[in-house]
Amino acid sequence: MTINLNDKTFFYEEISRSVAEQIIHLASKGIDMFLEYEVWEYDIDIEENEYEKPIIKWVYNVARVPPKVFERSGREYDLTATAGYDECGELSIYINLILKKGAWIKKVEIDYAELVGVIAHEIHHITQNDKDILHASYEGSDDNEDIHYLLEPAEIEAFHIGFRAQCAISGEDMETAILSYLAYRELNNKQLDEVVSAWSNVIFA
């Protein structure tokens, strides 16, 4: 399958949807940990291995935190994720479903569009492996550490792809989705405008 990052409809849809659907099924069954592999079908080489086609490992895990963690956001759950090489040298994506202690996994209604967006974000990081952009740092003058992370070149690309995916499924506009995500970060209006502009207006080389 062809990767065209400047196509506004592209977001690694096939693999992102596949993983998201499996995670939602796992959660509905009360399963709190799972590991699986997906075949990489896209036309960008990501790594060499002994298989005919590259594969990506993904790991789903449920973590529980004190209820006060959710007091500010009022959310039922949260999602965190990382991507890169694991301790065995396998390209991997880790998706963490964060719940309040005592919450019943089966009753959590995971937003499918949000989950697909999180996965697409991390898949894009996989394609950045071994590229200069992955090691490029924030170039601005703001001393806010959140801004340093949110405006790293690699993160700008990945957040754009993630929200492109989320909005393609939910139907919401990208600015609204981004502002909702940023609502609980300590950013002033100028910083919010800078992040929204950077994430919304990406031109891929």
Side-chain angles (χ1 to χ4, degrees), residues 12-164:
Y12 312 97
E13 181 172 3
E14 296 79 8
I15 192 169
S16 298
R17 283 184 179 272
S18 173
V19 175
E21 288 162 6
Q22 291 177 76
I23 288 174
I24 287 176
H25 176 73
L26 291 164
S28 74
K29 298 297 183 182
I31 297 169
D32 61 7
M33 183 176 291
F34 191 79
L35 181 156
E36 186 57 277
Y37 291 87
E38 296 288 326
V39 175
W40 181 256
E41 299 281 4
Y42 298 98
D43 61 353
I44 288 180
D45 291 333
I46 53 172
E47 70 169 347
E48 295 181 0
N49 56 36
E50 68 270 28
Y51 304 105
E52 183 178 345
K53 293 183 178 180
I55 57 173
I56 293 177
K57 182 175 80 175
W58 60 270
V59 180
Y60 152 78
N61 180 64
V62 174
R64 299 182 181 279
V65 298
K68 66 179 182 180
V69 171
F70 291 94
E71 285 179 357
R72 187 176 179 188
S73 69
R75 283 171 59 92
E76 183 183 13
Y77 69 90
D78 204 353
L79 293 166
T80 64
T82 58
Y85 289 103
D86 68 5
E87 65 276 6
C88 298
E90 292 183 310
L91 279 175
S92 307
I93 296 172
Y94 290 83
I95 304 106
N96 303 301
L97 174 61
I98 313 298
L99 302 178
K100 299 174 186 176
K101 287 183 177 178
W104 193 14
I105 302 173
K106 290 183 179 182
K107 292 191 174 182
V108 176
E109 295 186 7
I110 302 172
D111 185 318
Y112 176 66
E114 179 187 18
L115 179 57
V116 171
V118 168
I119 295 164
H121 176 125
E122 298 306 330
I123 290 172
H124 188 66
H125 279 319
I126 291 289
T127 71
Q128 294 171 329
N129 263 306
D130 302 323
K131 294 183 178 178
D132 290 342
I133 192 171
L134 195 61
H135 308 290
S137 58
Y138 168 66
E139 296 178 349
S141 57
D142 199 307
D143 59 4
N144 183 306
E145 290 187 4
D146 273 354
I147 288 291
H148 288 202
Y149 162 68
L150 298 172
L151 294 181
E152 287 179 359
E155 293 300 337
I156 290 172
E157 284 193 1
F159 274 111
H160 177 85
I161 292 294
F163 282 109
R164 181 190 286 178

